[in-house]
Amino acid sequence: MSELLVPTMNCACFILPYPEEVAKKTGSAGMVYSIRELYLLLARQVDDSDPPEAAALREIADHYPDVNRGEIVERDSRGNRVHEEDDWDELTDEQKIHRGNVNAAIAVVDRIRYQLENAAFDYEMADDVTRVRRELSAIAV
């Protein structure tokens, strides 16, 4: 590489450029990475070795917005995405059914996660709880 590639950033993300050869192969100029996710990743790495440092990193992460592909995501107090406008009246019947099914599926997954949190204290179920959590993580959007 002949020139130094410097990441740029906005209020919520780093924009990490790809080297020219990689950019040509992938068709993408770079990667967008959330500043919040970076701090949360660092916190997870020091969870076992330095819990106070992990707590401090999580506190720092809370000062940065949640993002999805570079776009800031607004969430309500329950962690659900807040849509900018109510478009329910403009949806077709098929779209309304689809959105209802998606919301129902999210509610079921939230209930399963709640039950997993309660079951995590039962040592006999620890392996099953871990397996189900991994499967839920694998299908998470």
Side-chain angles (χ1 to χ4, degrees):
M1 248 180 347
S2 58
E3 67 181 69
L4 179 65
L5 296 175
V6 179
T8 58
M9 62 184 281
N10 61 18
C11 68
C13 300
F14 290 111
I15 301 147
L16 305 170
Y18 290 154
E20 202 172 304
E21 301 82 32
V22 175
K24 286 179 183 175
K25 288 181 189 175
T26 63
S28 176
M31 176 180 77
V32 175
Y33 195 79
S34 164
I35 296 170
R36 176 186 180 92
E37 286 300 317
L38 175 65
Y39 280 110
L40 292 175
L41 174 67
L42 294 172
R44 284 190 296 271
Q45 288 180 342
V46 296
D47 260 337
D48 295 333
S49 61
D50 192 359
E53 177 69 15
L57 288 167
R58 283 191 177 85
E59 185 177 341
I60 294 167
D62 287 339
H63 290 279
Y64 291 95
D66 191 12
V67 296
N68 181 24
R69 295 183 183 149
E71 297 295 323
I72 295 176
V73 175
E74 296 293 327
R75 295 190 183 271
D76 63 14
S77 61
R78 297 180 65 196
N80 298 321
R81 286 185 178 204
V82 176
H83 298 284
E84 291 181 13
E85 59 186 59
D86 184 14
D87 62 348
W88 187 257
D89 294 334
E90 288 91 32
L91 297 178
T92 65
D93 289 340
E94 186 176 316
Q95 290 171 323
K96 288 178 183 178
I97 290 170
H98 175 73
R99 187 176 290 176
N101 289 342
V102 168
N103 290 338
I106 290 169
V108 169
V109 171
D110 285 343
R111 180 66 183 173
I112 291 171
R113 286 188 176 135
Y114 170 76
Q115 290 175 349
L116 286 172
E117 288 174 11
N118 291 334
F121 299 110
D122 186 359
Y123 291 112
E124 294 175 3
M125 297 181 65
D127 292 336
D128 292 333
V129 169
T130 302
R131 182 181 52 79
V132 172
R133 280 187 172 166
R134 287 183 181 150
E135 292 298 324
L136 281 175
S137 294
I139 63 170
V141 178

